[in-house]
Amino acid sequence: MTVRVALAGGGAIGEIVARDIYPGLTTVALTAVVDPDLDRAVQVARHTGARAAGALVDVLDEIDAVDVRVPHHLHTEVALTAIEHGKHVLVEKPIATTVEDARRIVDAARAAGVVLAVAENYPHLQAVQDARALLGENAIGRPIAVRSTRAYQLDGVWRRDWREGTGPAGGILLDQGTHQVSLIRQLAGPVVAVSAVGSHETLSLTLQLASGITAQSLLTWQSPGTWDQTEATVFGETGRLDVVVDYEQHLGGCALWTPARSEHRGAENYYASHAAIVNDWAAAIEHHRDPLVDGTEGSADLAVVLAAADSLAADGAFVSL
Ligand SMILES: NC(=O)c1ccc[n+]([C@@H]2O[C@H](COP(=O)([O-])OP(=O)(O)OC[C@H]3O[C@@H](n4cnc5c(N)ncnc54)[C@H](O)[C@@H]3O)[C@@H](O)[C@H]2O)c1
């Protein structure tokens, strides 16, 4: 089975997935690139042989599914249009910009019987999966605390008015906080309360987890980034697990240390996870199963990020989920 996909959004990440990811996949065919900026649609479609169009409604007869790579505040509108026409949807993170909109997307997909996946990369990273496996083997004993850092410079194609603005779709919290919350939830489980202090470009989160332990996350896009732009550690009673996510080279991986044992696994580049995301979505469509990050999972990450935004506006007061 080949899933015929329209890419909605020929911007920065749309171009990366059209050029570097789709051509290497066998279960999906990128048949259309849709962008109201038709020049962008044409430029991105050129990488793939797909047809360029200015609106999703112009290509509905030619596709089974829509890969939504538009700015945050447009996720809901584009995803709902696709779902209402019976198309499977892969939507970029965050699933939406409000909990209510996320619920509308999830409910609409369920009612239409289509597969809804959210393009959250971290659960697809081998490093995260290896860390989860080691935690499952009790390799570091009972977790004591978790920390993560995402530090880089927002530059080049990533500088966009909608992303840098202080409106509900902008800021590092919605953009990168979603990834960090996803990572922490993957490593340490559900979040029950969150506090955020800082600005919309640099902030720190304190997360109280259902397990009773605390996680901290520092996010900034104001510091020059090297290859290891995300690191996270789970500190355990008998050792520690470190996860490194490499956005530039192929040095991402997972390291285990205890007084008795030390090992490193992986040689991973972050962007490879986009192939895993699309492949998983296509397999979910073919086998009528849930994707690894479904709408419920994406909504849970969004809820934490929005609670953090409320906390930021309340000078860091803890907000319960
Ligand atoms: N997971 C990742 O690794 C990753 C990386 C970067 C961006 N993203 C996400 O991808 C999304 C897009 O980010 P970007 O940096 O590419 O933004 P961008 O501004 O570079 O591109 C967005 C594109 O969407 C187009 N667009 C607007 N309305 C549209 C519509 N109704 N239909 C089709 N196209 C429309 C715009 O014209 C623009 O070309 C955001 O949700 C962002 O968070 C994810």
Side-chain angles (χ1 to χ4, degrees), residues 8 34 55-60 63-68 70 74-89 91 101 104-105 108-109 112 114 116:
V34 177
L56 195 52
V57 290
D58 296 339
V59 301
L60 288 170
I63 59 164
D64 309 302
V66 182
D67 180 344
V68 182
V70 302
L74 300 173
H75 287 189
T76 302
E77 173 191 323
V78 178
L80 286 177
T81 301
I83 292 166
E84 281 159 11
H85 288 89
K87 309 303 176 190
H88 304 286
V89 164
V91 60
D101 279 353
R104 285 169 67 207
I105 296 172
V114 299
L116 169 66

Side-chain angles (χ1 to χ4, degrees), residues 101-125:
D101 279 353
R103 191 172 302 127
R104 285 169 67 207
I105 296 172
V106 170
D107 288 350
R110 197 168 290 144
V114 299
V115 172
L116 169 66
V118 185
E120 291 187 0
N121 303 69
Y122 284 68
H124 292 272
L125 290 169

Side-chain angles (χ1 to χ4, degrees), residues 290-309:
D290 291 331
L292 181 60
V293 184
D294 63 11
T296 304
E297 188 69 15
S299 300
D301 290 330
L302 175 68
V304 177
V305 167
L306 293 175

Side-chain angles (χ1 to χ4, degrees), residues 122 125-132 134-135 146-149 180 183 186-187 227-234 240-246 251-256 264-265 268:
Y122 284 68
L125 290 169
Q126 190 59 48
V128 174
Q129 294 180 3
D130 286 346
R132 281 167 60 89
L134 287 163
L135 288 165
V146 182
R147 60 117 211 154
S148 82
T149 307
Q180 294 305 299
L183 174 60
Q186 287 288 310
L187 296 176
W227 56 272
D228 53 342
Q229 294 174 8
T230 291
E231 325 129 36
T233 307
V234 183
R240 59 184 279 168
L241 264 173
D242 287 280
V243 171
V244 168
V245 181
D246 179 359
L251 297 171
C254 166
L256 166 70
H264 178 272
R265 301 180 184 179
E268 187 175 32

Side-chain angles (χ1 to χ4, degrees), residues 122 133 136 154 194 215 242 311:
Y122 284 68
L154 187 69
V194 58
D242 287 280
S311 171

Side-chain angles (χ1 to χ4, degrees), residues 70-267:
V70 302
H72 299 159
H73 55 289
L74 300 173
H75 287 189
T76 302
E77 173 191 323
V78 178
L80 286 177
T81 301
I83 292 166
E84 281 159 11
H85 288 89
K87 309 303 176 190
H88 304 286
V89 164
L90 170 64
V91 60
E92 262 295 353
K93 55 74 198 158
I95 179 172
T97 56
T98 67
V99 169
E100 293 73 25
D101 279 353
R103 191 172 302 127
R104 285 169 67 207
I105 296 172
V106 170
D107 288 350
R110 197 168 290 144
V114 299
V115 172
L116 169 66
V118 185
E120 291 187 0
N121 303 69
Y122 284 68
H124 292 272
L125 290 169
Q126 190 59 48
V128 174
Q129 294 180 3
D130 286 346
R132 281 167 60 89
L134 287 163
L135 288 165
E137 293 164 18
N138 205 30
I140 60 166
R142 188 174 65 85
I144 299 297
V146 182
R147 60 117 211 154
S148 82
T149 307
R150 171 80 167 114
Y152 71 114
Q153 183 90 58
L154 187 69
D155 57 13
V157 296
W158 308 116
R159 296 203 66 166
R160 300 285 190 241
D161 288 347
W162 65 263
R163 180 175 277 120
E164 294 180 69
T166 52
I172 195 168
L173 194 45
L174 214 55
D175 200 50
Q176 298 302 319
T178 313
H179 281 317
Q180 294 305 299
V181 167
S182 163
L183 174 60
I184 288 167
R185 290 180 64 248
Q186 287 288 310
L187 296 176
V191 178
V192 294
V194 58
S195 156
V197 290
S199 71
H200 83 292
E201 297 191 292
T202 296
L203 54 86
S204 69
L205 305 178
T206 303
L207 304 155
Q208 291 174 349
L209 306 180
S211 65
I213 70 170
T214 298
Q216 289 190 323
S217 185
L218 176 70
L219 295 100
T220 183
W221 62 30
Q222 295 180 295
S223 176
T226 176
W227 56 272
D228 53 342
Q229 294 174 8
T230 291
E231 325 129 36
T233 307
V234 183
F235 301 93
E237 260 180 343
T238 60
R240 59 184 279 168
L241 264 173
D242 287 280
V243 171
V244 168
V245 181
D246 179 359
Y247 282 72
E248 305 290 338
Q249 305 174 47
H250 291 82
L251 297 171
C254 166
L256 166 70
W257 180 88
T258 74
R261 179 181 172 196
S262 163
E263 68 178 75
H264 178 272
R265 301 180 184 179

